[in-house]
Amino acid sequence: MFYYLEGTVALIEKELAVIDCGGVGYACHTSQNTCASIQSGKKTRLYTHLSIRENACDLYGFAEQEELNLFRLLLGVSGVGPKAALAILSIAPPSQLALCIITEDAKFLTQAPGIGKKIAQRICLELKDKLAKEQQTMQSGGGLVMQMPAQSGAVNAVNEAVSALMVLGYSQAEAMQAMEGLKTDSALTAEELIRACLKKLAAQ
């Protein structure tokens, strides 16, 4: 229903931001990362997700499209609700979380309040499996394919970066195009490659 809200930040509380749009205040549940990136009294844009249930209608908003994409992916994992998804999104930027999922660093995810070892492992497993299925579909359709098995050096960093970008909602073709011109044969880490790609993608 809502793609984004653009207006003045009227109020910021823990995991909540109220955006004044033409005299109407929209309460958006959000992550601590988004709360830290906006300022009260300043104009902002939040990309939104509307959750409608029998007894509630909740709006979620994020400063970055990538954070919204990851939020929706997390909701698709069995046992992960909005509260748990926000807790995870509050411990690190989307790029770092996506890389943790790709490298199956479940321990890092347990830093989020209420996220135990089992649910963290399930998140890594289900989302990595989902990504693998998408890549298989692209392979059968004649698209570009990145290999998932762990390798050493720069090739592995590129593979991890491309896979992480796909977790954040970009297609494999978009991720590969963003890689063009970057020094992928250098000592850049996967996280550095992701950040550089996100800057290029945001500028397009």
Side-chain angles (χ1 to χ4, degrees):
M1 182 177 180
F2 300 108
Y3 186 78
Y4 65 78
L5 293 177
E6 188 169 282
T8 303
V9 181
L11 177 69
I12 302 175
E13 294 183 349
K14 184 180 179 181
E15 297 186 349
L16 180 72
V18 178
I19 310 301
D20 185 336
C21 302
V24 178
Y26 292 88
C28 296
H29 301 283
T30 189
S31 68
Q32 291 183 26
N33 284 326
T34 288
C35 285
S37 70
I38 60 178
Q39 297 181 40
S40 183
K42 300 290 186 179
K43 189 174 181 180
T44 193
R45 172 184 290 183
L46 296 185
Y47 296 94
T48 57
H49 173 86
L50 181 63
S51 174
I52 300 177
R53 295 171 292 168
E54 289 184 5
N55 59 347
C57 181
D58 296 316
L59 189 63
Y60 298 85
F62 303 95
E64 300 178 1
Q65 182 73 56
E66 294 83 8
E67 193 171 22
L68 171 61
N69 292 338
L70 187 50
F71 174 75
R72 287 173 170 165
L73 273 180
L74 289 169
L75 291 183
V77 176
S78 55
V80 178
K83 184 176 180 180
L86 288 182
I88 293 170
L89 290 170
S90 293
I91 63 173
S95 58
Q96 187 176 351
L97 291 172
L99 189 57
C100 285
I101 291 168
I102 293 303
T103 57
E104 299 185 72
D105 186 1
K107 184 177 180 180
F108 184 84
L109 299 181
T110 61
Q111 295 181 49
I115 303 299
K117 182 179 179 180
K118 287 185 178 180
I119 189 65
Q121 291 175 334
R122 187 187 305 155
I123 289 170
C124 292
L125 178 62
E126 290 192 20
L127 293 188
K128 196 167 183 180
D129 282 350
K130 183 178 189 308
L131 178 60
K133 289 178 182 177
E134 289 179 0
Q135 290 177 320
Q136 289 171 4
T137 300
M138 294 183 73
Q139 182 178 19
S140 62
L144 293 169
V145 180
M146 290 296 292
Q147 298 299 319
M148 292 295 291
Q151 302 173 31
S152 61
V155 175
N156 187 48
V158 171
N159 285 340
E160 289 180 350
V162 170
S163 297
L165 288 168
M166 292 178 69
V167 169
L168 296 177
Y170 294 99
S171 69
Q172 194 175 57
E174 289 173 325
M176 291 296 292
Q177 185 177 17
M179 284 286 174
E180 293 181 3
L182 298 180
K183 295 180 179 179
T184 53
D185 59 345
S186 69
L188 289 177
T189 65
E191 189 170 353
E192 288 170 335
L193 287 171
I194 296 168
R195 289 199 297 266
C197 286
L198 289 174
K199 287 182 180 179
K200 288 182 66 176
L201 289 164
Q204 292 177 358

